[in-house]
Amino acid sequence: PPLLPLLFAWSNTVSRDFSWWAAVLLTGLCLAGVAGIVRACARDELAALLTISVLAWAFARARVAGGADPLLLLFEATAVAALLFLRDERSQTIVAAIGIAGAVMVKVEGASFAVAVILALVIDRRPWKKIVAIVLPAMVLLGGWIVFALVLFYATPMLPSMSSWCFAGLTRRPAR
């Protein structure tokens, strides 16, 4: 999924050089974003502090600074906080859809998160229209990205090794 590479490409375009510090500092920005989201949705400073404490410890322990995990957790926290704490149905749907779509576009694990959210909403007996409204933007974005990647894959003869790392199991390049 393209969101993090596009974010880093944008920073390269702006600064004309890859900033390793910017990649590492993105972790702190994502933690601050999670704190703001949890604080705004739960209206509880202690919940935000506990969430950030646990995430900061986990980030340090797993050494994820500069990777895609902080951004993934930012979007996942957005979706979870919206579904748990927002009372307004329309706001809940919009914010959760943004969170799930962002998670799906950051890493492949975001798709697993989307499936887990769907299962949780089905178990919670939410209306099907609401479940579809929450997950549809993510499905459209991920489907569009897969179509784009497949068209690029089949239209470019100079990418013979792409099937081994990009679409393992999805498709095979036809023999020439």
Side-chain angles (χ1 to χ4, degrees):
L3 193 56
L4 188 69
L6 287 175
L7 181 66
F8 286 159
W10 177 78
S11 70
N12 286 349
T13 303
V14 171
S15 68
R16 300 188 191 278
D17 192 19
F18 184 76
S19 172
W20 291 100
W21 284 109
V24 172
L25 291 175
L26 178 65
T27 303
L29 288 174
C30 289
L31 281 173
V34 170
I37 289 165
V38 172
R39 166 63 182 90
C41 292
R43 294 184 179 93
D44 185 8
E45 290 86 10
L46 290 177
L49 181 63
L50 177 64
T51 302
I52 295 310
S53 299
V54 170
L55 285 179
W57 178 83
F59 284 1
R61 187 83 175 135
R63 298 183 179 117
V64 299
D69 292 315
L71 195 58
L72 175 69
L73 287 174
L74 172 70
F75 285 116
E76 289 178 346
T78 302
V80 169
L83 290 171
L84 290 179
F85 300 122
L86 290 181
R87 297 292 172 231
D88 180 38
E89 292 290 323
R90 185 166 186 235
S91 299
Q92 185 184 61
T93 302
I94 291 170
V95 174
I98 290 170
I100 292 171
V104 166
M105 294 307 288
V106 170
K107 277 182 92 172
V108 175
E109 288 90 341
S112 304
F113 173 72
V115 170
V117 168
I118 292 170
L119 289 175
L121 292 174
V122 167
I123 290 171
D124 195 33
R125 296 187 180 150
R126 302 274 176 106
W128 282 102
K129 285 176 68 173
K130 181 173 180 153
I131 295 172
V132 170
I134 289 172
V135 180
L136 187 63
M139 292 171 51
V140 168
L141 285 173
L142 186 61
W145 170 248
I146 290 173
V147 168
F148 168 76
L150 288 174
V151 166
L152 175 72
F153 176 66
Y154 281 116
T156 308
M158 297 179 67
L159 300 173
S161 65
M162 196 171 179
S163 65
S164 65
W165 62 272
C166 188
F167 297 111
L170 266 182
T171 182
R172 297 284 181 234
R173 191 173 183 94
R176 299 210 184 233

